[in-house]
Amino acid sequence: MKKNVIYIHTHDSGKVLSPYGYDVPTPSLQKFAEDATIFRQAYCVGPTCSPSRAGLLTGMYPHSNGMYGLSQRGFKLHDYNQHLVNFLKKEDYFTVLCGIQHEAGSYIDHDKGAKIIGYDQDITSDNTGLSEQELVKWDYENARQVRQWLQQSDKKKPFFLSYGMFATHRKFPEEAHEDDRSYDSKYVMPPYPVPDNKEIREDYTGYLNSATWVNASFGLVIETLKEEGLYDNSIIIFTTDHGLAFPFSKCTLYDSGIGVSLIMRVPESSMIGEEVEGLVSQVDVFPTLCDLLEIEQPSYLQGVSFAEMFHMKNHEVREEVFAEINYHTAYEPARSIRTKRYKYIKFYDDDFLKVNRTNIDNSPTKTLMHENGLEEVVKPKEGLYDLLFDPGERNNLAGDKRYEKVLNDMRKKLHDYQTKTEDPILTGHFKVREGWKVNKSETYNPSSKDPHDYLKVGE
């Protein structure tokens, strides 16, 4: 019998979870990691919500699959038949959505999204009337829905289940899940590159409170899989879309933006309880599933299967990973290539090399930085970073003669990849199309009600 595929995902978590060594309240995830395979060098294809998820679920880069920006702002896949859901349906999988999806329309409007994508069933609970701060409760109710569905499901037919959580997205909840405790800012340390001061610690406690809902919800789903005898006949994927919703993390091509948690349990793997150091990209998940399920890969996939990593210790399939930004709330075209040693980032917005503040989610931390000169922070046209000596990517070596050969090599590899994948940025800038909602680069508030803060069609 074919194995089930269970895709569990959070919002805006990066690697800031306990299996990666952070003091974050996710013991159920930690326990799962000890019985699975943890990828230490996993990266998304774009540090914004929809492009990242679309990359994983189509096996294609955003500039190839059409998801240039956020789905709730009018961006779409070129072809929803290329979505993993529709591919698996052709292989006789029953497909189920519960909770967040971010590849079609609003992530809150789950029913519409499920229909556009093509899921067989949407079991998501009602979220009517819930504020953003209350959506973590929706996560937990959705975990209950998953539990009920698993208890009643046809155990003879393979299924693909996507269980998506709002947590740890902003706005953060004020309280932790009832099985945990709310966190006191006096006893927390924000992760790099988030600064450590009183106001920001208070902001970060909201992330920790949100993580307790991840822990409770994830734990309930895994517990049910075991109770129903499905745990050992399922490929279980846990991941997130990109880095934390703090400045210089989410929506940046630094590792704090593109680095993601990826923990997978593959039955009969010889790497259970092990960690993998080789580079992998979320664009590789689709071809990997094809190999693990012994299904022929569709021709449009752009990723590389890492299925052998579940059976061969120290096996590597990549020398580099690629990521991109096109749109978040504003236009910010950029591309990156990362090897184990180096990172190269290229910005294409020559006319606006300041920080795009609108592409930073509103938060107390953003406000504090704005009050202290965030508007004056600039981006380099090109950035080259030696990740061994500069893991924070703050010492730009692009103008250093000692690294000239490395710089030219990274430029060439990036350009070759862009040419191979027909990256449209090589032939000119993107222009706003009908139905897209795009802030002007200089805008501060992404939710501005002023029509002058938005680009017009053709700009």
Side-chain angles (χ1 to χ4, degrees), residues 215-272:
N215 183 69
S217 302
F218 178 84
L220 182 59
V221 172
I222 296 299
E223 176 186 295
T224 307
L225 289 169
K226 292 179 177 178
E227 291 173 353
E228 295 301 311
L230 295 166
Y231 185 73
D232 288 321
N233 190 44
S234 300
I235 296 172
I236 305 171
I237 304 165
F238 172 83
T239 190
T240 189
D241 45 8
H242 47 66
L244 272 62
F246 281 83
F248 305 104
S249 297
K250 177 180 180 179
C251 205
T252 75
L253 294 172
Y254 300 125
D255 278 5
S256 54
I258 64 171
V260 293
S261 52
L262 178 63
I263 306 170
M264 292 180 62
R265 189 176 193 278
V266 175
E268 301 166 4
S269 167
S270 59
M271 292 292 287
I272 294 292

Side-chain angles (χ1 to χ4, degrees), residues 22 37 85 145 157 181 224 231 349 352 406 429 440:
Y22 292 93
T37 304
V85 162
Q145 292 290 102
K157 185 177 178 66
R181 59 184 175 85
T224 307
Y231 185 73
D349 50 347
F352 195 85
V406 175
H429 282 290
K440 292 180 178 177

Side-chain angles (χ1 to χ4, degrees), residues 176-188:
H177 185 268
E178 60 184 12
D179 292 341
D180 211 301
R181 59 184 175 85
S182 295
Y183 283 77
D184 189 326
S185 63
K186 294 194 295 292
Y187 306 110
V188 304

Side-chain angles (χ1 to χ4, degrees), residues 54 249 348 421:
S249 297
Y348 291 81
T421 58

Side-chain angles (χ1 to χ4, degrees), residues 213-416:
W213 291 88
V214 172
N215 183 69
S217 302
F218 178 84
L220 182 59
V221 172
I222 296 299
E223 176 186 295
T224 307
L225 289 169
K226 292 179 177 178
E227 291 173 353
E228 295 301 311
L230 295 166
Y231 185 73
D232 288 321
N233 190 44
S234 300
I235 296 172
I236 305 171
I237 304 165
F238 172 83
T239 190
T240 189
D241 45 8
H242 47 66
L244 272 62
F246 281 83
F248 305 104
S249 297
K250 177 180 180 179
C251 205
T252 75
L253 294 172
Y254 300 125
D255 278 5
S256 54
I258 64 171
V260 293
S261 52
L262 178 63
I263 306 170
M264 292 180 62
R265 189 176 193 278
V266 175
E268 301 166 4
S269 167
S270 59
M271 292 292 287
I272 294 292
E274 298 286 344
E275 60 182 6
V276 172
E277 297 288 349
L279 292 170
V280 296
S281 169
Q282 286 184 336
V283 78
D284 302 331
V285 171
F286 196 146
T288 300
L289 286 174
C290 288
D291 283 359
L292 293 173
L293 298 171
E294 299 181 349
I295 301 172
E296 183 178 353
Q297 296 183 24
S299 60
Y300 55 81
L301 297 185
Q302 296 174 323
V304 180
S305 171
F306 55 83
E308 290 298 322
M309 286 182 163
F310 293 101
H311 302 288
M312 299 171 60
K313 193 171 180 65
N314 300 322
H315 184 66
E316 299 196 17
V317 299
R318 280 185 169 275
E319 293 183 355
E320 61 268 325
V321 293
F322 302 94
E324 66 187 76
I325 306 170
N326 297 297
Y327 294 91
H328 184 56
T329 60
Y331 183 50
E332 189 174 5
R335 302 291 184 266
S336 70
I337 174 175
R338 188 200 196 282
T339 65
K340 279 200 166 182
R341 177 70 183 267
Y342 298 104
K343 165 79 69 62
Y344 172 69
I345 302 173
K346 181 177 180 178
F347 290 97
Y348 291 81
D349 50 347
D350 294 5
D351 296 331
F352 195 85
L353 286 172
K354 292 184 177 182
V355 170
N356 294 56
R357 295 170 300 161
T358 181
N359 283 342
I360 302 173
D361 290 1
N362 289 345
S363 68
T365 299
K366 176 181 175 179
T367 299
L368 180 65
M369 288 190 174
H370 172 66
E371 291 170 348
N372 285 275
L374 179 63
E375 187 177 6
E376 302 306 316
V377 178
V378 297
K379 304 172 296 195
K381 172 70 176 172
E382 292 183 298
L384 177 68
Y385 306 97
D386 186 334
L387 302 173
L388 178 62
F389 298 111
D390 179 27
E393 301 166 80
R394 292 298 179 263
N395 181 25
N396 185 6
L397 302 169
D400 191 323
K401 290 287 186 182
R402 296 172 299 171
Y403 289 85
E404 188 171 3
K405 184 178 183 303
V406 175
L407 177 62
N408 288 333
D409 183 55
M410 296 290 271
R411 282 172 175 164
K412 183 179 185 305
K413 287 181 176 179
L414 178 61
H415 188 269
D416 288 349

